Amino acid sequence: MAASKKAVLGPLVGAVDQGTSSTRFLVFNSKTAELLSHHQVEIKQEFPREGWVEQDPKEILHSVYECIEKTCEKLGQLNIDISNIKAIGVSNQRETTVVWDRITGEPLYNAVDCLTNGQ
């Protein structure tokens, strides 16, 4: 049985959108702006006090990996060659802070975002 030929589209552009409530990865045809595939994962949030949101930094990072992996799997199912992804943009939580241990690479605490009235 012959191997299926991958469709040559491109160049393709990926976008990681990592927000407070979810992470998603989207892949577009850069010439037509057509959305070819995407995957989204919800992120657990904790509200330990008013105006304060915490998240597990490892869960955030894992959600990015998962979204990229699942989107690429979907592209493969569509016979779209992922090597045509030539650029990836990232939009992240701008007001959220994470402190990592520089030796172990482990987070020292949860990701913290202080909400403002103007959300």
Side-chain angles (χ1 to χ4, degrees):
M1 179 182 269
S4 62
K5 186 169 176 144
K6 299 283 184 185
V8 179
L9 297 174
L12 307 180
V13 176
V16 174
D17 178 9
Q18 202 303 298
T20 307
S21 61
S22 70
T23 299
R24 57 187 154 177
F25 183 62
L26 307 98
V27 175
F28 299 90
N29 181 325
S30 68
K31 295 186 186 283
T32 65
E34 176 189 6
L35 175 62
L36 300 173
S37 185
H38 72 283
H39 188 78
Q40 183 170 353
V41 175
E42 298 298 316
I43 303 290
K44 186 173 119 185
Q45 300 177 47
E46 297 178 26
F47 301 91
R49 61 181 181 226
E50 187 175 340
W52 190 281
V53 180
E54 291 185 10
Q55 295 172 299
D56 179 349
K58 289 183 176 182
E59 180 184 359
I60 294 170
L61 188 57
H62 177 75
S63 72
V64 173
Y65 292 149
E66 179 182 340
C67 287
I68 292 172
E69 181 179 357
K70 296 291 186 187
T71 301
C72 289
E73 287 174 6
K74 291 175 185 178
L75 289 169
Q77 291 168 359
L78 296 169
N79 287 325
I80 296 172
D81 188 351
I82 63 171
S83 70
N84 288 319
I85 299 173
K86 302 302 181 189
I88 296 176
V90 177
S91 173
N92 64 340
Q93 301 180 39
R94 294 174 301 281
E95 292 84 19
T96 301
T97 302
V98 179
V99 179
W100 302 87
D101 184 295
R102 72 178 195 165
I103 296 170
T104 67
E106 294 295 314
L108 297 177
Y109 191 73
N110 285 337
V112 176
D113 183 2
C114 294
L115 301 175
T116 62
N117 290 336
Q119 293 182 14

